[in-house]
Amino acid sequence: MKITFLPRSRLGKWGFSLSLAFILLLFAQIQFSLIPLPVFSVMALGVAGFVLSIIAFIKKDRALGTLLSIIIGAVIIFVFGSILVMSTNLFKGFPIAKDYLEKAEGNDMSGDGMNLGDISQSGEQIFFVEKNRLYTINIDWTNRREVTDSPVSSIFLSGDWIYFTNDRDVSNLYRMRKDGSEQMKLSEDNVAHFYVLGDHIAYSTKKTLAEFNEIKKEALNTEDATVESDVGTLYMMETDGSEKIALCKVSLEPGRVMISEEWIYFEDYQKLCKVRIDGSDYTVISEKGRLGFVENGWVYFISVLDPETRAYDDLEICRMKKDGSETTVISSVDKVSSSCFDNGWFYYVLHSEKGLYRMRPDGSERERLNEINIWQFDGVAGNWMYITDYAGPRYRVKLDGSVGTRIN
């Protein structure tokens, strides 16, 4: 029997076409973020192609394209089936408290003052964003309630106020009281990242997703390296929105921002930079750096080395004086998939290994805290870590893995 590549039957042709559409759409989504479809919608094409190709194969259509569609569908079912199974509460590696935490954990306020972008703690209340809405819950995981019916995408708690952006694409900056009252728009700029300290707010601006994609496409078709630079701005203003000043330009992909006394530290694409609060003395600290923390006149930051793969980073932890002098490498860690600093510790997850590790910035007191399978590590605050599962469930888990609660 002669074997052809393209299926001969109508079902086989449909199955092969759907499988091919799945591959092309998934590639376009991953590479360019051009397809406004959820991953599971794209996945459905591959599964449909798998079913049709199975039927075609049973009916004697043994073309290579039919077999390829079956293989693609089997891989889809295995991968996404694993994701769904792991998204249940059956294989977490830690016990999950359903409704409330016992007194020993429920009175733990060690995360007070933390701001992780879409989850923050103030005293005995935790504020978190879920599906573009802001909720609060007590630290013992009781009394969940909605703070406001206004859309919220990211938050930062400071004093008696919640500062927030209202949309992930076009993000204006607002503030309101912790009970949701006295809402006030502070800026109509499209805000990427922001930070509040005392009476000051520093924030960077970004492009909308459509504008971002257009600039990315233009960059692919030109040798001009400046196409993606100087497209946004870093601003400083008072917490009531007054006295706004532009400090410097930022690239198409600005990162985290932090204020420390007279300096603003910020990530700009791969670079780590600083500028004074009046806009003077712009300096690139590291060509491949990430923000850490400032303590006792020292700035701690991460320098990212060039790994052999994009699956992880080889990191050096560095420190320098605030005046820019005495920059030294104080420790290093290889094959890190995600990391953060908190309260004098460096926390990290290693590529292809279970568990959360920590050490002092100088590399001392290194230890593994738990053996939980961490898909996405969101950060640490006090005695708690925040992680997100494959399909979206998010958890707050004790560092030793002894108990956790589901947030969303």
Side-chain angles (χ1 to χ4, degrees):
M1 182 178 66
K2 185 179 178 181
I3 297 178
T4 61
F5 179 76
L6 292 176
R8 299 182 302 276
S9 67
R10 187 176 180 181
L11 286 175
K13 290 176 181 178
W14 269 105
F16 179 74
S17 298
L18 290 174
S19 298
L20 184 61
F22 163 77
I23 293 174
L24 294 176
L25 288 173
L26 187 64
F27 174 79
Q29 179 67 23
I30 293 172
Q31 195 71 18
F32 306 109
S33 298
L34 298 178
I35 310 300
L37 291 174
V39 173
F40 281 95
S41 297
V42 178
M43 177 201 72
L45 295 176
V47 173
F50 170 77
V51 173
L52 293 177
S53 296
I54 285 286
I55 297 173
F57 186 83
I58 293 173
K59 293 185 175 183
K60 308 299 184 181
D61 188 345
R62 305 296 167 83
L64 293 177
T66 303
L67 295 175
L68 181 61
S69 298
I70 293 173
I71 293 172
I72 292 171
V75 171
I76 294 170
I77 293 172
F78 174 78
V79 171
F80 284 91
S82 299
I83 289 173
L84 290 174
V85 170
M86 293 301 294
S87 296
T88 67
N89 294 335
L90 300 176
F91 306 101
K92 293 293 155 224
F94 57 90
I96 297 174
K98 297 290 186 181
D99 301 313
Y100 65 93
L101 291 172
E102 298 295 336
K103 187 173 182 179
E105 291 82 22
N107 291 339
D108 186 342
M109 292 180 56
S110 60
D112 188 21
M114 65 93 169
N115 282 290
L116 296 180
D118 56 2
I119 185 165
S120 300
Q121 182 175 338
S122 177
E124 296 185 356
Q125 285 183 287
I126 293 175
F127 295 81
F128 61 95
V129 178
E130 179 182 334
K131 296 181 180 179
N132 228 36
R133 286 290 183 267
L134 180 62
Y135 299 88
T136 183
I137 197 168
N138 296 341
I139 59 172
D140 64 357
W141 232 244
T142 60
N143 196 24
R144 169 179 163 140
R145 57 203 180 277
E146 190 174 34
V147 177
T148 175
D149 58 3
S150 299
V152 176
S153 60
S154 64
I155 57 175
F156 193 106
L157 270 61
S158 180
D160 296 326
W161 296 93
I162 300 173
Y163 299 84
F164 67 99
T165 54
N166 64 327
D167 187 86
R168 295 194 183 278
D169 191 27
V170 182
S171 306
N172 301 140
L173 185 60
Y174 296 78
R175 77 171 182 180
M176 63 183 169
R177 296 288 183 182
K178 292 177 182 177
D179 61 2
S181 64
E182 299 183 41
Q183 289 193 27
M184 173 185 178
K185 179 183 282 190
L186 302 177
S187 172
E188 292 189 352
D189 293 313
N190 193 2
V191 176
H193 296 270
F194 65 99
Y195 190 94
V196 184
L197 182 66
D199 296 326
H200 294 98
I201 302 175
Y203 68 91
S204 57
T205 63
K206 63 179 181 179
K207 297 298 183 182
T208 65
L209 180 59
E211 293 170 334
F212 178 93
N213 287 331
E214 284 299 318
I215 294 173
K216 279 291 187 182
K217 284 192 286 187
E218 181 182 352
L220 290 173
N221 298 321
T222 180
E223 295 182 358
D224 185 0
T226 65
V227 170
E228 296 183 55
S229 64
D230 297 345
V231 296
T233 305
L234 182 68
Y235 290 100
M236 168 73 84
M237 67 180 179
E238 298 292 302
T239 51
D240 61 1
S242 64
E243 300 184 34
K244 172 183 166 182
I245 60 171
L247 302 177
C248 63
K249 303 299 288 184
V250 294
S251 72
L252 183 64
E253 301 179 64
R256 293 171 51 224
V257 179
M258 180 178 70
I259 307 173
S260 179
E261 297 178 348
E262 76 278 14
W263 288 99
I264 298 175
Y265 300 88
F266 61 100
E267 298 168 355
D268 192 15
Y269 188 47
Q270 295 183 345
K271 297 184 296 184
L272 178 61
C273 311
K274 67 175 182 177
V275 66
R276 291 190 185 275
I277 58 175
D278 61 2
S280 63
D281 295 337
Y282 170 87
T283 306
V284 177
I285 297 172
S286 172
E287 290 293 338
K288 289 190 176 181
R290 296 176 188 162
L291 269 176
F293 63 98
V294 179
E295 184 178 74
N296 298 327
W298 290 95
V299 180
Y300 292 82
F301 64 96
I302 295 171
S303 178
V304 183
L305 305 179
D306 288 322
E308 296 179 358
T309 172
R310 294 175 61 185
Y312 58 79
D313 291 320
D314 295 335
L315 308 178
E316 290 180 339
I317 300 178
C318 310
R319 74 173 187 175
M320 70 175 186
K321 289 286 190 180
K322 291 189 71 174
D323 62 7
S325 63
E326 299 184 40
T327 301
T328 56
V329 177
I330 56 177
S331 64
S332 63
V333 188
D334 293 338
K335 298 186 177 181
V336 176
S337 60
S338 51
S339 62
C340 75
F341 289 97
D342 182 69
N343 197 28
W345 291 95
F346 178 66
Y347 293 88
Y348 59 97
V349 178
L350 294 177
H351 176 65
S352 298
E353 288 193 27
K354 289 184 177 182
L356 178 68
Y357 294 79
R358 76 175 179 182
M359 67 181 188
R360 296 296 182 183
D362 63 4
S364 63
E365 302 182 50
R366 195 178 305 229
E367 62 178 329
R368 178 191 251 178
L369 298 172
N370 58 57
E371 295 188 9
I372 295 171
N373 190 16
I374 300 172
W375 171 251
Q376 177 181 307
F377 176 61
D378 299 321
V380 169
N383 296 324
W384 302 91
M385 71 173 181
Y386 294 83
I387 60 176
T388 302
D389 249 343
Y390 301 93
R394 195 174 191 187
Y395 298 88
R396 177 179 183 251
V397 185
K398 232 13 182 337
L399 290 179
D400 61 6
S402 59
V403 70
T405 48
R406 180 167 173 170
I407 298 172
N408 56 0

